[in-house]
Amino acid sequence: MIAKIVKGASFRGCVQYVTSKDNATVLASDGVLLGSVGNIADSFEYQRGLNPRCSKPVGHIALSFKPEDKEKLTDGMMTKITREYMELMGIRDTQFLLVRHHNTTNPHCHLVYNRVDNNGKIISDKFERKRSEKVVKQLKDKYGLTYSDGKGQTRTERLHYTERTKFEIKNAVKNALMGARNWQQFTDRLKQQGVEVEFKRRRGNDDVIDGITFIKDGVRFKGSQIGRQFSYAKLNERLANDEQRQTANHGQARQNENIRQEPNQDYQSTSHSTFDFPSLGLFDTNNPVYDPAEEEFRRRMQRKKKKRGPRL
């Protein structure tokens, strides 16, 4: 179990993200009007107005668990663990929305809450990441959740949320590239790892793509921010070359197969077990090949014989 913490300014964008995934399930909520993204976002925004000084009222925490814990993590158990996490983190007396996603092998849910509580006070974020590490460990021990062995791996739990997400996206892109031969395969493999892809199109010409953005758990990174080799131009060059090589290999394979299957028409066997070659006149005494140089040489020799006269 790990907790990814982020704060923001737009409730609508956050709510849109957590509710738009395939088979997203609302596990619990309090103080918000359900029914549509607009209704939920407006509910959060209304309470936000109780304290205009809070520049980032959006609290967003993704709780992710190991695949080994999937069987025990029913919707009810995931809700119970999240509510305990909220209480231990001091997230209480405020609006919240809890949504479970099913788009990765890791069971996980997204908690969206209002940092402006029901009384207009701001929920403290002081040392929240250090506090969260302690709370997560406490809950893993209490419910017997799986620990990561961490051998040969970066301790992503200790990275800042955005840096951790960047690290995860980079690994996902590398993994997707290893088996992808075109853009469709690449984006499908990323989606299986919980990473969405957006293409930036040139202003005034939607047919031309100028950039690429990767999105995971609501955090966005341009391709070049992940790594220079992951810019749209570099990725397109690689995937296009892979697709061309694959097409060429298939074409050559088909050509070789045709050669093996089709008889060679230039050397077909006759009923007399001989081969019919097209005659060029080279060895045909009835149809000699005319050679001007040879004919001139023959005439010159005849003239020399006449000059010398008959031999005695």
Side-chain angles (χ1 to χ4, degrees):
M1 173 184 175
I2 60 174
K4 305 176 182 180
I5 303 174
V6 66
K7 295 184 290 292
S10 172
F11 279 108
R12 183 173 294 273
C14 187
V15 172
Q16 175 68 42
Y17 172 77
V18 301
T19 60
S20 64
K21 295 293 182 180
D22 294 339
N23 299 321
T25 306
V26 176
L27 299 183
S29 66
D30 188 24
V32 294
L33 181 63
L34 301 178
S36 69
V37 172
N39 289 341
I40 299 172
D42 288 344
S43 299
F44 279 121
E45 290 292 347
Y46 181 79
Q47 182 158 306
R48 172 189 187 176
L50 296 177
N51 196 330
R53 293 177 301 170
C54 185
S55 61
K56 292 186 176 181
V58 182
H60 178 194
I61 301 175
L63 294 177
S64 181
F65 304 83
K66 298 289 287 184
E68 294 84 346
D69 298 327
K70 185 175 182 179
E71 293 299 323
K72 67 177 66 174
L73 287 171
T74 62
D75 288 349
M77 178 58 70
M78 186 174 285
T79 303
K80 181 179 180 180
I81 293 174
T82 303
R83 295 298 296 264
E84 287 191 35
Y85 174 86
M86 293 172 63
E87 181 65 27
L88 293 171
M89 288 291 292
I91 303 171
R92 58 176 73 95
D93 297 326
T94 191
Q95 299 168 304
F96 75 88
L97 175 72
L98 180 62
V99 181
R100 181 170 188 167
H101 285 178
H102 305 272
N103 59 324
T104 67
T105 57
N106 293 74
H108 66 284
C109 60
H110 292 263
L111 171 67
V112 182
Y113 67 95
N114 203 330
R115 292 189 59 235
V116 177
D117 70 14
N118 300 333
N119 300 311
K121 296 181 179 180
I122 299 176
I123 296 175
S124 176
D125 60 353
K126 189 174 182 179
F127 305 120
E128 63 180 357
R129 288 180 174 81
K130 289 184 177 180
R131 290 190 287 117
S132 178
E133 288 181 8
K134 294 180 181 180
V135 170
V136 166
K137 185 178 183 303
Q138 181 179 339
L139 292 173
K140 285 196 290 190
D141 291 340
K142 179 178 180 179
Y143 292 101
L145 300 174
T146 304
Y147 275 84
S148 174
D149 55 22
K151 295 180 180 179
Q153 299 178 356
T154 299
R155 295 294 300 275
T156 56
E157 294 91 340
R158 296 188 177 182
L159 294 175
H160 187 276
Y161 174 74
T162 54
E163 288 301 314
R164 183 167 64 236
T165 305
K166 181 179 178 180
F167 176 84
E168 292 170 350
I169 291 175
K170 186 174 183 177
N171 279 344
V173 172
K174 286 182 178 180
N175 292 336
L177 279 174
M178 287 196 303
R181 293 293 176 266
N182 53 53
W183 276 106
Q184 186 62 53
Q185 292 180 8
F186 178 61
T187 55
D188 287 346
R189 289 172 181 270
L190 282 176
K191 188 174 182 180
Q192 292 172 2
Q193 300 177 75
V195 178
E196 301 291 334
V197 175
E198 282 187 2
F199 295 102
K200 178 185 176 184
R201 301 186 180 275
R202 183 172 298 176
R203 182 175 299 177
N205 189 349
D206 289 341
D207 294 332
V208 179
I209 298 175
D210 279 337
I212 188 171
T213 298
F214 299 103
I215 309 166
K216 188 175 191 301
D217 296 333
V219 181
R220 308 165 64 92
F221 288 99
K222 295 179 181 178
S224 57
Q225 291 176 314
I226 300 297
R228 291 184 178 180
Q229 69 273 33
F230 301 136
S231 67
Y232 173 76
K234 294 291 186 181
L235 289 173
N236 190 51
E237 180 180 357
R238 172 168 176 171
L239 291 171
N241 289 338
D242 285 347
E243 188 169 20
Q244 289 173 3
R245 282 195 295 270
Q246 187 180 37
T247 302
N249 290 339
H250 287 171
Q252 185 63 44
R254 287 195 299 269
Q255 184 178 356
N256 293 339
E257 185 66 21
N258 291 337
I259 291 174
R260 289 194 296 270
Q261 293 178 358
E262 295 181 4
N264 193 319
Q265 296 178 357
D266 290 338
Y267 299 97
Q268 290 186 21
S269 172
T270 67
S271 60
H272 301 289
S273 298
T274 60
F275 295 97
D276 294 329
F277 294 94
S279 176
L280 299 177
L282 297 176
F283 306 102
D284 188 353
T285 57
N286 296 323
N287 184 26
V289 176
Y290 176 73
D291 188 340
E294 184 177 352
E295 181 64 21
E296 176 62 23
F297 177 76
R298 186 179 62 78
R299 286 198 296 267
R300 287 169 59 190
M301 294 301 295
Q302 288 178 348
R303 286 197 296 270
K304 286 182 179 181
K305 287 180 180 181
K306 289 180 179 179
K307 289 181 181 180
R308 288 198 301 266
R311 298 179 64 178
L312 297 178

